[in-house]
Amino acid sequence: MPDGRRKRGCQKEAETLRAVTIDPGGILTIRDHDDPCAGGEDVVVRIRAAGLNNADLMQVQGKYPAPSGSPADIPGLEFAGEVVALGPRAHRYAVGDRVMGIVGGGAQAELICVHECALMPIPENLSWAQAGGFPEAFVTAHDALVAQTALRPGERVLITGAAGGVGMAAVQIATAIGAEVIASVRNTATWDAIRSLGASTVVTPDDADTKGPYDVILELVGVDRFASHLTSIRTGSRIVVIGTGSGAQAMLDFRALSRNRASIRASTLRARPLEDKAIATRAVEREILPLVSRSKLTVVVSSTFPLEEVRASYAAFGARGKLGKIVLLP
C-alpha cells in the first residue's frame, strides 16, 4: 500500500460528527460529537451503513450498558464504510478501502475510530446496506456454530429465531458446513425465504421439538422453551444460548443432560476483549468471506433508514414479523 494513499492521524474534514445519541429517558436524537483521532494502530472509518441489533435496543432501554471503552451514549455494534485516516502504526488498510467490523458501541454515527484488527474487507458484491448488516450477524453465527459447538457435516441443527439477522446467517453457515438445518420461525410468511437460504425444514416454535432429535441447538430467542428442548437432543448434543429476549432463566433437568452426555454453552461478542473479537473476525474473514464473494452466502436486508429517521428504524426493529436486517445509512 503506497504511503501516498495514507492520511495519518485525525480526520479533519469536519470539526464535529453527527451520531445517534441516547438522551436521558432513552430518547434517541442526532447530536454533534468530536471527530475521532487515529493513534497507534487505529483506523478512522467514514460509516456508510450500520446495522441495528438487540443489544442496541436494550441499551436504549437502559438494560444493557456499553462495555468499558465504548461510548455510553452512542449505540451501534456493527458498521461498514471507507477508511479516511490511519494511525502511525496502522498498516493493514489504506485510505479509501472498504471495510466493516464489530465494536462495543458507537457505530451509529458518521465516523468511528477502531483498531485495525477489528476490521475486515468488504467483498465487492456486497452493497453498503448489506455490509452494514454483515459483521454482527455472521461473526456471531459463525462463532456459535463453529467455535462453540463445532458443528459437523451431516449433523442436525435447530436454529430458533431464524428470521432475524443472526438466524439467517446461521442457516446459511450451517448449510455451507453440510448440516441438516431445521429453522424455528413463528411468522409463516417468512418460511419460503428461510428455505431459500438452505433450511430443509421450517417449523413454528411450538413444533420445533417434534422434529428432533438434534445434535446442535442454537438458541437465539430465549430460554422459555429450554426445558422442552432437552427432550429433543441426541447423545453428545451441544446447546449454545445467544439470545435471551423471551426469557433469561429456565429450569434445568440435569438428568436429561447426563443421559445424553450433552453440553450447554452461552456466548456474547460485545463484551469480549479486542483480542477475542479479532480472532472471531479473522475466522470469518478466512472461512466465510470467500463464500460471500462467490455469492454462496448473502445478507438479507429488511429495510434501510437515514440517520435522521433513527426513531423509526428502532420502531421497525422492535416490530414482529420482520425478515432480515434493519440498517441505518449515515
Side-chain angles (χ1 to χ4, degrees):
M1 301 177 185
D3 285 344
R5 293 180 60 197
R6 301 175 183 274
K7 181 174 181 179
R8 297 288 174 179
C10 299
Q11 163 63 19
K12 288 297 186 182
E13 291 183 7
E15 293 183 358
T16 59
L17 65 92
R18 295 186 310 151
V20 175
T21 307
I22 306 172
D23 282 350
I27 305 300
L28 290 171
T29 58
I30 306 299
R31 296 195 180 280
D32 290 340
H33 295 258
D34 292 338
D35 266 5
C37 188
E41 297 168 342
D42 294 337
V43 174
V44 177
V45 178
R46 179 169 298 283
I47 297 174
R48 300 294 186 180
L52 270 64
N53 295 280
N54 279 323
D56 303 320
L57 185 60
M58 293 174 65
Q59 181 177 349
V60 171
Q61 294 171 344
K63 301 176 182 178
Y64 194 5
S68 176
S70 297
D73 58 344
I74 304 176
L77 307 186
E78 62 182 344
F79 65 92
E82 299 160 327
V83 174
V84 293
L86 299 150
R89 296 192 303 277
H91 299 288
R92 190 163 192 244
Y93 298 100
V95 169
D97 285 350
R98 296 199 333 147
V99 295
M100 55 187 174
I102 294 179
V103 289
Q108 293 171 17
E110 292 177 325
L111 296 168
I112 193 167
C113 183
V114 298
H115 194 284
E116 65 179 0
C117 73
L119 299 171
M120 54 185 148
I122 299 175
E124 292 183 0
N125 57 334
L126 284 189
S127 68
W128 283 124
Q130 289 176 309
F134 177 92
E136 194 276 341
F138 278 83
V139 175
T140 298
H142 183 269
D143 181 76
L145 292 174
V146 177
Q148 304 295 326
T149 70
L151 180 67
R152 295 185 292 270
E155 291 191 314
R156 303 184 81 242
V157 55
L158 169 65
I159 299 170
T160 68
V166 177
M168 299 182 84
V171 168
Q172 296 179 80
I173 292 172
T175 300
I177 289 172
E180 179 186 356
V181 178
I182 294 83
S184 169
V185 181
R186 187 169 298 281
N187 182 5
T188 58
T190 66
W191 283 15
D192 286 344
I194 302 301
R195 290 191 189 97
S196 71
L197 297 177
S200 61
T201 304
V202 186
V203 297
T204 65
D206 296 333
D207 294 330
D209 295 319
T210 68
K211 302 301 181 181
Y214 301 112
D215 299 288
V216 169
I217 296 178
L218 177 57
E219 182 54 73
L220 299 172
V221 176
V223 294
D224 60 338
R225 297 181 182 275
F226 198 82
S228 64
H229 286 342
L230 295 183
T231 67
S232 62
I233 54 177
R234 279 179 173 159
T235 300
S237 60
R238 293 88 71 200
I239 302 171
V240 60
V241 178
I242 301 296
T244 59
S246 70
Q249 298 181 356
M251 295 295 292
L252 183 59
D253 186 346
F254 285 105
R255 292 170 298 182
L257 288 176
S258 300
R259 283 195 302 268
N260 292 285
R261 300 193 299 279
S263 62
I264 300 173
R265 304 190 70 166
S267 182
T268 183
L269 276 175
R270 187 185 192 190
R272 292 191 197 180
L274 176 63
E275 294 79 6
D276 284 1
K277 290 178 182 175
I279 290 171
T281 299
R282 294 289 79 72
V284 167
E285 184 176 335
R286 182 175 61 251
E287 300 173 21
I288 299 301
L289 288 192
L291 298 176
V292 176
S293 296
R294 299 198 300 270
S295 298
K296 300 293 185 182
L297 305 179
T298 190
V299 182
V300 179
V301 176
S302 171
S303 55
T304 62
F305 293 83
L307 206 64
E308 291 76 12
E309 296 180 16
V310 62
R311 295 184 188 178
S313 73
Y314 272 73
F317 182 86
R320 291 184 178 272
K322 64 182 180 298
L323 180 69
K325 299 287 295 191
I326 291 178
V327 181
L328 284 172
L329 303 176

